């Protein structure tokens, strides 16, 4: 176990376990995870939007300590899409496209963003044109933080700090250039409670030997640098953070953020741009150390969901694997699932996942 870069002695961990098992007065308890999401990624198809796939894990865990903290059951939805391209810039275009920047998303929108009418593809100079993301903010500027207030065991100042650290985690897991190049997300992992044993196990397996049930893409955005490279240094984001009092006076923070990554092929003389869209919903608990076994400055994971567009299908490599329009073949028509707009944030991921109970690739309307 680690605390930042420090090691936690085994005897200290054993002491925590013995105290918790003995039910000693006031003994902090170790948070545990019930189930976690398993990623499914998508197949490609020619000259049309592509599908998405879902998987519901059957595993459940029980036993002592379940009431303290756990990862909620969840489903990962992954989408690949190529929609009609349009031209967008920071100014209104001559084709009628609305291009003025959007205000921060302080609450759930009432519907999807308008469909672009033009049909020009993105370029390295304009990687977001034809996409609603052209009006989104850059990086952490698109992650709306609410006003802090005293909640649970935390004062207003402490909640402010917890919200800032929450955004730090989102940046370290989904925006860090090194992580996007496929490097290990150490800064993000350092913010996760090291006493969540099953979370440690999941992260270890996911980063060492990813598979269907242990996929780092559930929490981190990573591309294989030998295959693709980012277009510029901007990732477009849109989303919001909310909080409430959770169990045992904890401050439970919910995040729902969509990230748009433009990439080109690595090591090739090609300027064709593809976009990968990732929506993540991560719930974390900033726990009272008097009640929960936790390291200062870290949070316990409660649940996480992911919805990925143009990130690959059934590859389980631990990397997002976008397909470029010219690479699409007749395989994988994506007709056996629901239709999804990856830019539509008007429905929760829970609602979207309830509509995705099959394991077939559906259709996404645009990327």
């Amino acid at each position: 176990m680690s605390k930042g870069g420090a090691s936690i002695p085994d005897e200290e961990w054993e002491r925590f376990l013995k105290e918790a098992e003995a039910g000693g007065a006031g003994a902090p308890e170790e948070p545990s995870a019930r189930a976690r999401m398993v990623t499914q990624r998508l197949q490609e198809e020619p000259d049309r939007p592509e599908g998405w796939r879902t998987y519901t894990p059957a595993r459940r865990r029980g036993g002592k300590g379940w009431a303290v903290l756990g990862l909620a059951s969840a489903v990962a939805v992954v989408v690949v899409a190529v929609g009609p391209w349009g031209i967008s810039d920071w100014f209104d275009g001559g084709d009628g496209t609305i291009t003025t920047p959007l205000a921060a998303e302080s609450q759930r929108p009432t519907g999807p963003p308008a469909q672009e009418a033009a049909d020009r593809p993105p370029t390295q100079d304009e990687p977001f044109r034809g996409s609603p993301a052209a009006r989104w903010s850059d990086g952490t500027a698109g992650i709306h933080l609410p006003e802090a207030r005293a909640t649970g065991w935390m004062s207003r100042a402490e909640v402010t700090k917890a919200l800032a650290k929450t955004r730090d985690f989102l940046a370290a897991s989904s925006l860090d250039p090194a992580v996007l190049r496929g490097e290990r997300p150490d800064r993000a992992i350092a913010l996760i409670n090291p006493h969540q044993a099953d979370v440690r196990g999941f992260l270890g397996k996911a980063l060492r030997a990813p598979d269907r049930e242990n996929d780092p893409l559930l929490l981190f955005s990573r591309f294989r640098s030998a295959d693709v490279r980012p277009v510029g240094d901007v990732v477009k984001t849109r989303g919001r953070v909310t909080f409430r009092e959770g169990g045992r006076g904890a401050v439970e923070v919910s995040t729902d953020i969509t990230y748009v990554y433009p990439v080109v092929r690595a090591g090739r003389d090609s300027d064709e741009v593809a976009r990968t869209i990732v929506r993540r919903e991560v719930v974390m608990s900033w726990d009272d150390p008097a009640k929960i076994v936790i390291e200062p400055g870290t949070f316990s994971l409660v649940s996480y969901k992911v919805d990925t567009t143009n990130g690959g299908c059934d590859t389980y490599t631990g990397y997002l694997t976008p397909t470029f329009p010219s690479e699409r073949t007749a395989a994988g028509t994506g007709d056996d699932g629901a239709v999804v707009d990856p830019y539509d944030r008007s429905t929760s991921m829970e609602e979207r996942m309830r509509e995705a109970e099959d394991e077939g690739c559906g259709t996404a309307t645009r990327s």
Side-chain angles (χ1 to χ4, degrees):
M1 288 171 286
S2 65
K3 175 182 177 183
S7 173
I8 300 174
D10 290 339
E11 56 266 29
E12 182 71 4
W13 174 241
E14 291 297 329
R15 182 180 66 81
F16 278 132
L17 290 178
K18 289 178 181 178
E19 289 179 355
E21 185 174 345
E29 298 190 33
E30 177 197 4
S32 175
R34 288 199 294 266
R36 63 182 53 82
M37 299 185 334
V38 182
T39 307
Q40 291 282 83
R41 276 159 291 166
L42 298 177
Q43 297 175 346
E44 311 298 336
E45 70 169 11
D47 303 323
R48 58 169 295 177
E50 274 117 351
W52 54 310
R53 185 182 291 259
T54 63
Y55 172 74
T56 306
R59 290 190 306 134
R60 296 290 184 273
R61 289 189 178 184
K64 290 184 178 180
W66 267 108
V68 182
L69 252 186
L71 285 175
S73 302
V75 181
V77 178
V78 205
V79 185
V80 175
V82 175
W85 304 111
I87 179 169
S88 292
D89 204 334
W90 290 112
F91 304 95
D92 292 338
D95 58 0
T97 303
I98 300 174
T99 56
T100 51
L102 293 175
E105 183 183 285
S106 58
Q107 59 186 1
R108 190 176 301 284
T110 57
Q115 188 82 31
E116 301 291 349
D119 59 0
R120 291 204 295 162
T123 67
Q124 293 195 52
D125 290 332
E126 297 179 281
F128 300 102
R129 73 176 184 180
S131 157
R135 302 181 63 200
W136 293 6
S137 298
D138 300 353
T140 56
I143 301 173
H144 176 73
L145 294 182
E147 183 177 352
R149 65 182 183 278
T151 303
W153 72 285
M154 285 187 169
S155 66
R156 182 177 182 275
E158 288 169 327
V159 171
T160 298
K161 186 175 181 179
L163 292 173
K165 280 186 168 288
T166 294
R167 188 163 56 185
D168 289 345
F169 173 78
L170 298 177
S173 61
S174 302
L175 296 172
D176 187 322
V179 176
L180 295 181
R181 292 193 302 267
E183 296 181 18
R184 184 180 173 87
D186 288 328
R187 287 199 306 125
I189 292 173
L191 291 170
I192 300 174
N193 181 8
H195 296 289
Q196 280 191 288
D198 49 357
V199 174
R200 292 198 316 273
F202 161 73
L203 291 174
K205 292 177 183 177
L207 293 167
R208 182 180 65 253
D211 57 28
R212 182 181 179 126
E213 293 195 358
N214 300 281
D215 194 329
L217 299 180
L218 290 167
L219 285 172
F220 314 112
S221 292
R222 306 166 77 223
F223 295 87
R224 196 191 302 272
S225 59
D227 297 334
V228 299
R229 60 179 175 82
V231 178
D233 56 3
V234 172
V235 175
K236 291 291 186 179
T237 58
R238 188 154 183 82
R240 64 195 178 281
V241 175
T242 59
F243 67 95
R244 66 175 185 175
E245 182 174 350
R248 301 201 171 199
V251 177
E252 185 176 285
V253 179
S254 298
T255 71
D256 181 358
I257 315 296
T258 302
Y259 309 86
V260 184
Y261 306 98
V263 296
V264 294
R265 298 180 183 88
R268 300 189 195 179
D269 185 15
S270 172
D271 59 2
E272 188 177 25
V273 177
R275 285 189 293 251
T276 294
I277 305 163
V278 177
R279 181 180 177 185
R280 284 198 184 88
E281 195 174 275
V282 180
V283 180
M284 54 193 73
S285 183
W286 294 92
D287 299 314
D288 183 348
K291 299 176 181 177
I292 298 294
V293 179
I294 192 167
E295 293 301 306
T298 69
F299 62 82
S300 300
L301 277 171
V302 177
S303 67
Y304 39 90
K305 306 179 181 71
V306 66
D307 181 336
T308 304
T309 298
N310 195 24
C313 182
D314 293 337
T315 54
Y316 307 117
T317 63
Y319 300 98
L320 296 161
T321 54
T323 297
F324 293 80
S326 63
E327 296 173 336
R328 293 185 172 88
T329 68
T333 58
D335 289 336
D336 52 351
V339 175
V340 173
D341 179 353
Y343 292 98
D344 184 2
R345 294 182 48 79
S346 64
T347 59
S348 69
M349 291 185 66
E350 189 72 27
E351 292 171 302
R352 179 174 291 183
M353 290 169 182
R354 280 200 298 266
E355 299 173 356
E357 296 178 354
D358 64 298
E359 293 193 19
C361 288
T363 300
T365 59
R366 53 184 168 179
S367 70

